[in-house]
Amino acid sequence: MACTLLFVAFNQDYYVAGHIGDGLIASIHGVSGQEYSKLLSEPDGEANETYFVTMAKAQTRLRLKSGKMDSIKGFFITTDGIQDRIYQKKFGISSNNLNTLIQAYFGKTNTEYKEFVDKLIANRWTDLNDDLSLAVVTKEHQLIQDSIQPYLLEVLSNIKSKQQITKL
């Protein structure tokens, strides 16, 4: 099995992003209704060719980026199916398409956003035939995660052996 790797981890102050292969990672900035994006990590490889985590010396293809969260509201991560609509190596990122996806995210529930993306693909991006994975992570969701942290720390502090982790 072959796969690419895209990830972002962040807290209120800093972020780290990592990437092997195609797809892209963008940071989200701006105020409500005027969000915009900045490309953090572009695809590695030519069209229909990429690097996978299962390849020899894959670690040499790992691109890491880190920085302060300052004006960042969140991150947009996508595989090559959607990437093809918002990025071209020759021209870079298509702000209109990516910003449409980002601005539609805020103020919607996850179900509403999924319906929006499904309609966009069905009505405007009908020729997409690759994987269409998309993740939007924002500081809003980080606040929810922070609220469960005390519970999570309590659970983790009670783990005494590897066997307990397997049972979880």
Side-chain angles (χ1 to χ4, degrees):
M1 178 183 281
C3 69
T4 58
L5 172 70
L6 299 104
F7 70 86
V8 176
F10 65 96
N11 62 22
Q12 293 299 313
D13 300 315
Y14 298 97
Y15 74 89
V16 62
H19 189 178
I20 295 176
D22 53 16
L24 64 81
I25 303 171
S27 55
I28 303 169
H29 304 260
V31 296
S32 184
Q34 298 176 7
E35 289 85 6
Y36 63 95
S37 61
K38 290 183 182 177
L39 188 64
L40 281 181
S41 185
E42 64 185 355
D44 188 8
E46 299 302 319
N48 299 316
E49 295 179 17
T50 193
Y51 297 92
F52 299 108
V53 297
T54 51
M55 291 178 158
K57 298 185 180 180
Q59 69 274 14
T60 65
R61 306 306 299 194
L62 177 63
R63 291 159 289 145
L64 292 172
K65 207 164 227 183
S66 63
K68 291 186 175 185
M69 288 296 288
D70 293 340
S71 67
I72 298 175
K73 292 178 71 168
F75 299 91
F76 183 92
I77 305 166
T78 184
T79 57
D80 58 333
I82 292 178
Q83 160 211 305
D84 293 343
R85 285 291 181 229
I86 60 178
Y87 175 85
Q88 291 180 0
K89 192 170 191 103
K90 186 175 181 179
F91 302 108
I93 202 160
S94 166
S95 297
N96 289 342
N97 285 340
L98 181 54
N99 290 341
T100 296
L101 286 168
I102 289 171
Q103 288 174 2
Y105 174 79
F106 292 95
K108 286 186 173 34
T109 66
N110 287 341
T111 301
E112 291 169 336
Y113 188 66
K114 182 184 180 316
E115 289 172 1
F116 169 82
V117 172
D118 288 346
K119 285 179 186 174
L120 183 66
I121 291 168
N123 296 329
R124 290 180 47 200
W125 296 350
T126 56
D127 60 335
L128 293 179
N129 57 8
D130 207 337
D131 57 325
L132 303 173
S133 300
L134 165 67
V136 181
V137 291
T138 65
K139 284 184 178 180
E140 290 174 8
H141 291 109
Q142 178 68 26
L143 295 175
I144 294 168
Q145 181 180 343
D146 289 346
S147 68
I148 65 166
Q149 190 170 3
Y151 173 74
L152 182 59
L153 290 174
E154 180 182 336
V155 169
L156 293 175
S157 69
N158 290 316
I159 295 175
K160 306 295 183 214
S161 71
K162 193 175 184 178
Q163 288 76 21
Q164 285 177 290
I165 295 172
T166 305
K167 292 178 185 176
L168 291 174

